[in-house]
Amino acid sequence: MQQHELIPHLFRTEYSKIVAVLCHSFDLKHLEIAEDIASDTFLKAAETWGIKGVPENPAAWLYAVAKNKTKDYFRHNAVREKQVKETIRSNNVETEPDFEFTHQNIADSQLSMIFSVCDGDISPDAQICLALQILCGFSVEEIANAFLTNLATVKKRLQRARAVLRNGNFHIKTLVETEIKTRSDNVLKTLYLLFNEGYFSKTNNQLIRKDLCSEAIRLTSILVGNALTNTPQTNALLALMYFQSSRFDARTDEIGEVILLEDQDKSLWDNELIERGNHYLVNAFHGNEVSKYHLEAAIAYWHTTPTPERKWENILTLYNQLILIEYSPVTALNRTFAFAKVYGTEKGIQEAEKLHLNNSSPYHSLLGYLYANLDIDKSIDHYEQAIALTNSRIERQTLTKEVERLKRR
C-alpha cells in the first residue's frame, strides 16, 4: 500500500482504537481530549513518514506516539479533576499514565466505549450517529447516507449528542448487564450500518469498502466474545456479515463494476467465510428469538448455497417476515426482486410500481432490470433515471453500460 493510501487507511482502522483506549484508561470526561491526542498522532505520522519513510509496524508506531503524547499532556498541563480521574493528583507531576495498546485492552476499550456512547440521555438516532463517528470514523456525509437523510440533520444530531456528553460528566463505565440490555439494540444497529456502508458504498469511488466491512466484523466479534453481549441477535448479525463478505471477490469485475448475483463466478466465493456464517447462524437460533438480523442472515444463507429447489420461494417468505418487523425501502425493493423471481417479471413490475419510490435510484434500477426483456424503451428510461439519481461513480458506470447494451439490441 502506498504511503498516500496508508495513512487514510490507518486513520480508519486505528484512530477509534486510540480514542477508546485513552478514554478507557484515564476516564477522560472530555472526549475531545482523546480525539485531539489521536489527531495529533496522525499529523505527526504524516510529517515524519514523509521524511523518514513508513516504519516497519505503522500501527505500533502510532500507539507509541499516542502513548507519549498522552504522557506529555499530563506532564505539561495542570491536572484537573474534571479532566482525569480523581486518583491522579494535580500536585504530583511525576505521576504518568501507564497503559499498553494490547489486543485485549483495545477490545475491552472499544466494547466499553460503544456502550457508553449509547447513553440513554441521547436520542437513539443521535447515539448511532455519534458511535459511527467516534468508533467507526464515519464522515458526516457517510452518516447521512447510512441514515438516508441530509447533512444538516446529521450535524445537528452530532452537536446535540456531544453537548450531552460534555455536560453529563462523560466517562466509560464497566459494563453492567442492565445497561447492556437497554443499549444493545443501538449498538447492533451501528455495526449493521457500518457494514452496509462498506458492502455497498455510496460515498466512495469503490462499490465495496472492505476496510469498513472488516472493522464491522471485528467489532461484532468483540461482542460475541464477551459473555454479556454474546446474544442470539449478535450471532445473527455476525453470521450476516460473514455470508455477505464471502462474495466480495465475485461481486465486482476487474474495474470495480458490479456483477449481479446470478452472473457471479461461484468459484470465487469464500467457502471458509460461508462456514463461519453457518456456525454463527446456528448459534443465533439457540432460543425462540427471531430478529431482523436472523431473517437477513437466513436470506444471505440461501444466497450462498448451491441453487436448491424453492430457493426464491424461501427467500420471498423471509422477506415477507422481515418487512413486517422493520419496513424500509431497501427491504421492499429486495422483496420485490424475490417476488419477480417467484411469480415472473410482469407481476414483479406490478409489485414494484406499487412502491412509488420515484426519487430512488435502486427503484429505477430494479424497474430497468425487470423491463429489459419486455420493453427496451421503458427499461432504458428507468436506467437513465437511476443514473441521474445516484451519487456513486461506479454505479453510474455500471448502469450506463447497461443502457448502451440495451440500445445495441
Side-chain angles (χ1 to χ4, degrees):
M1 187 178 291
Q2 299 295 319
Q3 184 179 323
H4 69 279
E5 299 173 328
L6 179 60
I7 290 182
H9 169 74
L10 288 170
F11 188 87
R12 172 72 75 180
T13 60
E14 307 302 328
Y15 175 88
S16 64
K17 296 177 186 176
I18 292 171
V19 171
V21 169
L22 294 184
C23 286
H24 192 220
S25 298
F26 311 115
D27 203 11
L28 292 178
K29 295 179 176 62
H30 291 289
L31 179 65
E32 289 83 356
I33 296 172
E35 291 178 318
D36 287 345
I37 291 172
S39 296
D40 287 346
T41 298
F42 278 90
L43 285 174
K44 184 168 183 179
E47 295 168 358
T48 306
W49 297 358
I51 299 170
K52 298 183 178 180
V54 178
E56 185 176 342
N57 189 333
W61 188 96
L62 291 169
Y63 298 156
V65 170
K67 182 174 180 177
N68 288 333
K69 284 186 174 292
T70 305
K71 289 182 177 182
D72 289 341
Y73 170 79
F74 282 102
R75 190 182 302 122
H76 296 124
N77 290 275
V79 181
R80 298 173 183 168
E81 184 178 332
K82 69 176 182 179
Q83 291 174 316
V84 296
K85 57 187 177 182
E86 195 173 351
T87 54
I88 299 177
R89 303 294 183 185
S90 59
N91 60 357
N92 185 2
V93 296
E94 294 180 358
T95 300
E96 291 184 354
D98 186 22
F99 65 100
E100 296 297 335
F101 283 92
T102 62
H103 174 78
Q104 190 61 49
N105 193 16
I106 291 171
D108 290 344
S109 297
Q110 290 201 290
L111 181 63
S112 297
M113 182 72 156
I114 196 168
F115 276 92
S116 296
V117 165
C118 290
D119 188 299
D121 292 333
I122 302 172
S123 70
D125 284 347
Q127 289 177 26
I128 297 167
C129 287
L130 192 61
L132 286 171
Q133 186 181 63
I134 295 172
L135 269 296
C136 310
F138 268 38
S139 67
V140 174
E141 183 185 6
E142 287 170 328
I143 297 170
N145 280 320
F147 273 91
L148 302 178
T149 190
N150 58 61
L151 296 176
T153 299
V154 171
K155 288 179 181 177
K156 288 178 182 177
R157 288 177 184 172
L158 288 169
Q159 288 169 356
R160 286 195 292 265
R162 284 181 173 272
V164 170
L165 294 186
R166 280 195 301 273
N167 299 331
N169 200 26
F170 169 73
H171 61 282
I172 293 182
K173 303 174 183 177
T174 301
L175 292 177
V176 178
E177 188 171 359
T178 53
E179 289 182 327
I180 286 174
K181 287 181 178 179
T182 58
R183 301 182 183 195
S184 60
D185 284 349
N186 284 340
V187 169
L188 293 180
K189 188 172 182 180
T190 299
L191 300 177
Y192 175 81
L193 290 173
L194 171 60
F195 185 88
N196 280 355
E197 175 58 24
Y199 187 71
F200 195 87
S201 178
K202 299 179 182 65
T203 55
N204 197 279
N205 288 334
Q206 295 173 290
L207 180 71
I208 299 171
R209 299 173 66 181
K210 291 184 179 179
D211 58 337
L212 297 188
C213 294
S214 296
E215 186 67 1
I217 289 174
R218 187 184 69 81
L219 291 170
T220 309
S221 297
I222 291 173
L223 296 182
V224 170
N226 186 291
L228 293 176
T229 52
N230 184 20
T231 66
Q233 278 201 64
T234 309
N235 278 270
L237 178 56
L238 190 55
L240 171 62
M241 291 177 179
Y242 275 124
F243 283 136
Q244 300 289 53
S245 298
S246 70
R247 295 187 283 113
F248 277 162
D249 291 340
R251 278 190 68 217
T252 55
D253 61 18
E254 62 278 0
I255 60 173
E257 293 181 2
V258 67
I259 301 173
L260 294 176
L261 179 65
E262 58 204 51
D263 298 324
Q264 290 175 12
D265 180 355
K266 293 179 175 58
S267 69
L268 296 177
W269 291 2
D270 190 323
N271 289 319
E272 182 181 344
L273 295 183
I274 292 173
E275 285 304 311
R276 290 185 191 177
N278 289 333
H279 169 78
Y280 288 109
L281 187 59
V282 170
N283 288 348
F285 282 99
H286 287 166
N288 299 320
E289 181 180 12
V290 177
S291 67
K292 64 170 286 185
Y293 305 118
H294 287 81
L295 295 172
E296 289 196 31
I299 290 167
Y301 160 80
W302 281 109
H303 280 315
T304 54
T305 55
T307 306
E309 287 187 35
R310 301 186 60 80
K311 168 182 175 177
W312 285 105
E313 286 89 340
N314 288 320
I315 289 174
L316 179 58
T317 298
L318 290 164
Y319 271 123
N320 288 338
Q321 295 176 55
L322 179 60
I323 211 163
L324 293 174
I325 289 178
E326 183 176 294
Y327 177 87
S328 75
V330 173
T331 301
L333 289 170
N334 288 338
R335 177 197 168 273
T336 303
F337 182 85
F339 185 93
K341 287 291 186 182
V342 175
Y343 296 108
T345 39
E346 291 188 13
K347 289 187 177 180
I349 289 169
Q350 294 172 12
E351 196 74 6
E353 290 177 341
K354 292 177 185 177
L355 300 174
H356 301 296
L357 298 171
N358 296 313
N359 294 321
S360 163
S361 177
Y363 171 72
H364 289 289
S365 293
L366 175 60
L367 283 171
Y369 172 83
L370 294 175
Y371 270 115
N373 293 320
L374 297 175
D375 188 326
I376 288 180
D377 288 338
K378 282 190 175 181
S379 177
I380 290 172
D381 178 60
H382 281 293
Y383 275 130
E384 288 178 340
Q385 289 185 69
I387 291 167
L389 289 167
T390 184
N391 293 321
S392 168
R393 179 180 63 81
I394 293 295
E395 195 173 1
R396 279 197 298 271
Q397 288 178 353
T398 302
L399 295 171
T400 299
K401 282 192 173 182
E402 189 61 21
V403 169
E404 292 170 352
R405 185 186 69 81
L406 289 169
K407 286 180 176 178
R408 286 196 297 270
R409 281 173 55 187

